[in-house]
Amino acid sequence: MPTKTFLCIIFLMLTCLLRAQTPRIDSLKKVIAAEQPSSQQLLSIYHLLLDNASLSNDTLAHYAEKGYQLAIKLKDKPRASLMRYYTGYSMARSGIIDGRLDSLIQKELKTLAYKDDYKEPYARFIMLDANRLTRSNKIKEAMQLYYGLLPLLEKDRDTTMLLNLQLNMSTGPSMMGHFNETLKVVHPALAMARVYNKHHYSITTLQVEGLLNSNAGICFLHLYEADHQQRYADSCLYYTTRSIEIGERIQSLYVRCASMNVKGLMLSYVNRVEEAEQLLQAGLQLRKQIGDPLYTVSDMTVLASFYSATGKPQQGVVLCMEALQIARERKMSAAIVLVYNTLAECYRKAGDNAKYAQTVQQLSSFKDTMYRENSARAIAELQTQYEVQKKENTIIQQQLDITRKNQQLYGIAGILLAAAAIAVILFISYRKRQQLKMRMIHEEEKILSAQAVKEAEEQERKRIAADLHDNLGAYAASMVSNVSQLQMMAPVVAAERSVQELRNNSLSIVSELTDTIWVLKREALTLTAISDRIKVFLQRIQPSYPHIHAGVVDELDNDHSLPPSQAFHLYRILQEAINNAFRHSGADEVLILFQGGESWQVTVKDNGKGLPADAEKQGAGNGLYNMRARAHEVGWQIRWKENDGGGTALVISPG
C-alpha cells in the first residue's frame, strides 16, 4: 500500500488543511449575516475564522476579505493583520506557495512586532512563513523560524499559540522520515494539551490535541512498518483511538476521518482485516461528507490498495475508476498518477494482464503529456519574463544615461549610502544569526540536561534499592534471627508474648522491605509480575484467615507494563483492598481479577456484607482515603460497587 506517501502528505496537511462541517459554523454564519454593528460583525468573523477547520477554502478566503474590509473601516490594525493572515492561510491551503504568498508574508512582517495587540498576528505570520518554507522543502530554514518564535511564546506562557507552534514543528522531522524525533516534539505537546484541556474548554486546543494524537499514530505506524514491533502497533491504535474520540467530541469530521484511515491501516497490518475495512470505509464516507476532492481521491486509493492486498482486487478496481473520474474532473494531475499506479496493481493482483498492461501504458502516456504541458508552460513563462525584463532594462539604461550626465555627485553619494546600509544590514543579520545559533545551542543544552537528570534519577533509584537491600534488609533479617534465638532460650513467661510480637514486627519489616525493593529494582513491571506478587502476598496472610477462600485470575490478552512508581501504587492499593476484604467484609470468598486488552483493569471482589451506602462518601477511615489518594496521584480511576450476588467489588483502571 502507498502508505508512506499518503501519510507524509497527511503530516504536512494536518497543520493547515483542516475542514469539518459543524453546527457551530452554521450558527456563526447566521450571526454574521444578521444586521448588527460593524464592530460586532468583525468580532463574529474573527471567532468564525478561529474555527477555520470547519470552513472550505473558498469560504475561508471570502470571510477573511470581508473581515479585512471591516477592520480597515474601523481602523482596527491588529484585526486587519489577522484577516490578512487568514488570506495567506487560504492561499497556502490552495497550494499557492510562490512569490505571491511570500510577498504577502514579508509585507506584513515588516510592519509587525511581537508586542501588545500584535503578538497573535506576528506569531501566526511567522508560522505561516515556516509552513511555506516546509512546503518548498526548505526544512532547515523553517525550523529556524520555529525556534526563533519558541522563546517568545514560552516567555508569555501563551499555551494556545505554543500548542499550535509545536504541532507545526512536528512537520519538519516527519517529512524527513525522522519519526522518533517527531515523537520527541509530539509527546511534550500532548502532555501540555491534556493538562490545559482538563481545566479549560477550547475547541482550538482540543483540535490541536486531536491532531497531535493523530500525528503520534502516524509516527508509530511508520515505525511499525520498519520494525514490526507489537508495541508500535499498540501505540498507533491507542493514539488514533484517542484522536477519533476527540474528533467526535468537538464534531471535527477531518480529525476523525484522518485518524480512522491511519487506524484502519494499522489494523490491516495486524490481521484485523474486517475492522480495518470498516474503518477505512467509514473514513471515506466522512471524507465525502466533508467534500474535499483531493483527500477523497487519496482515501479511495488507500482503500483500493487495501482491497488489492486482501484478495479483493475487483473492488479496488471499482474504487479506482470512481477516483479517476473525480481526479479528471478536478484536473488533479498528481492524484491521477497515484490512482493509475493503484489501478495497475489491482489489475495485476486480479490476474487481468491485458488491462494491467493497458493501464501501465495509459500511466506512461499521461506522465509524458503532463511533462510536455508543464515544459511548454514553463518555457512560455520564461519567454514572457525575458521580454518584460528586456523592456525594463532598456528603460533603466535610458534613465541611467540621463542620470550620469546631470547627477554624478548624487550617484556617488547614493552608492556610499547604499554601501553603508548594506554593511549595517549585514551586521544586523550576522547578529541575528548568532543570537539564533545561541538559542538553538541553549535548547540543545536543555535537552541534554533533562536527559542527564533522568539518568541520574534512575541511578539514584537503583542505589536506594541496593542500600535498602544491603543495609536495612540485613538488619531486619538479623532482628528476626535474634528474636528466634531468644525464643529458643526459653524466655520468662511474662516476656514471651513481647518477644513474639517483636518477632512478628521484624518479619513485617522484612516483608515490607522485600516488596519495596522488588519494585525499585525494576525499570518496569508487567501486570503478570504484579499478579504473581499478589499471589505470594495471599500465601503469606491466608493462614490467619482459614475460613476464607482467596484466588487470583489472569485474563491478560495484552500484558501491560507499568513504571516502578505506578506498579508500587497498584500493589499497595491491592494489598489494602485484600486486607479490607479479609478483615471487615465478613466474606468467605475473595477473588482478584487481572484483565488486559487495549487497556487494563484490576478488580477485587468479595461475597461479604458489602460497604455501607455512604462509606465511600464519608471516607470510611484511612484505608479508602489512601487508596483514592494513590490512584489520584497516578491518574487512575478507582471505584467501589455492589456485586450482583452481594458483596463488594473494587475496580481500578487507567484514567
Side-chain angles (χ1 to χ4, degrees), residues 438-450:
M438 290 301 297
R439 287 196 197 103
M440 295 179 73
I441 291 172
H442 179 64
E443 290 298 322
E444 185 175 353
E445 287 176 349
K446 283 172 63 178
I447 294 172
L448 292 175
S449 176

Side-chain angles (χ1 to χ4, degrees), residues 344-604:
E345 180 64 16
C346 289
Y347 280 135
R348 189 182 70 80
K349 286 291 182 70
D352 194 337
N353 295 328
K355 289 189 177 179
Y356 169 72
Q358 181 184 354
T359 304
V360 171
Q361 180 62 37
Q362 289 173 331
L363 174 60
S364 176
S365 176
F366 179 78
K367 286 182 177 179
D368 290 343
T369 302
M370 188 168 60
Y371 172 77
R372 285 194 300 271
E373 289 176 352
N374 291 337
S375 298
R377 189 181 301 113
I379 292 170
E381 289 175 355
L382 288 173
Q383 183 66 32
T384 302
Q385 292 175 5
Y386 171 75
E387 294 296 334
V388 171
Q389 190 65 48
K390 184 177 178 180
K391 292 179 181 179
E392 289 178 352
N393 288 342
T394 301
I395 295 171
I396 291 171
Q397 186 62 46
Q398 292 172 351
Q399 292 175 343
L400 285 174
D401 290 341
I402 296 171
T403 302
R404 288 194 192 99
K405 292 178 182 179
N406 302 312
Q407 299 180 348
Q408 290 184 353
L409 182 60
Y410 293 110
I412 294 172
I415 291 172
L416 292 174
L417 287 173
I422 291 171
V424 171
I425 292 171
L426 289 175
F427 176 72
I428 294 173
S429 176
Y430 171 77
R431 284 191 61 186
K432 287 184 177 180
R433 286 199 302 272
Q434 289 300 110
Q435 290 172 352
L436 179 60
K437 184 177 180 181
M438 290 301 297
R439 287 196 197 103
M440 295 179 73
I441 291 172
H442 179 64
E443 290 298 322
E444 185 175 353
E445 287 176 349
K446 283 172 63 178
I447 294 172
L448 292 175
S449 176
Q451 291 175 345
V453 169
K454 184 177 180 181
E455 291 174 0
E457 289 175 347
E458 179 68 15
Q459 292 299 324
E460 183 66 10
R461 180 178 66 79
K462 292 180 179 178
R463 186 192 67 76
I464 291 171
D467 287 350
L468 286 173
H469 181 272
D470 296 340
N471 298 326
L472 295 181
Y475 289 132
S478 295
M479 289 172 63
V480 174
S481 176
N482 292 338
V483 171
S484 297
Q485 290 177 12
L486 287 173
Q487 287 181 319
M488 293 173 61
M489 294 170 65
V492 179
V493 175
E496 185 173 2
R497 183 173 181 179
S498 297
V499 172
Q500 181 62 38
E501 287 298 319
L502 180 59
R503 185 176 188 276
N504 291 340
N505 291 337
S506 301
L507 288 171
S508 296
I509 292 173
V510 173
S511 176
E512 291 296 320
L513 276 173
T514 301
D515 290 340
T516 304
I517 293 169
W518 168 70
V519 174
L520 285 174
K521 275 191 170 183
R522 289 161 173 79
E523 295 182 359
L525 285 164
T526 62
L527 290 177
T528 299
I530 298 171
S531 169
D532 292 340
R533 199 68 183 183
I534 290 297
K535 293 171 186 175
V536 173
F537 174 70
L538 286 175
Q539 290 175 358
R540 197 161 62 224
I541 68 170
Q542 184 75 59
S544 299
Y545 303 93
H547 63 287
I548 298 178
H549 173 71
V552 179
V553 176
D554 295 334
E555 296 180 357
L556 297 171
D557 297 330
N558 185 6
D559 195 3
H560 294 264
S561 294
L562 300 179
S565 61
Q566 293 188 12
F568 186 70
H569 281 305
L570 179 58
Y571 181 68
R572 288 300 189 210
I573 292 171
L574 293 177
Q575 273 189 319
E576 183 66 30
I578 293 169
N579 280 329
N580 286 346
F582 275 44
R583 294 175 182 174
H584 309 302
S585 70
D588 58 13
E589 184 173 342
V590 178
L591 175 67
I592 301 93
L593 175 62
F594 287 79
Q595 296 172 299
E598 289 189 5
S599 183
W600 61 268
Q601 177 175 294
V602 182
T603 306
V604 180

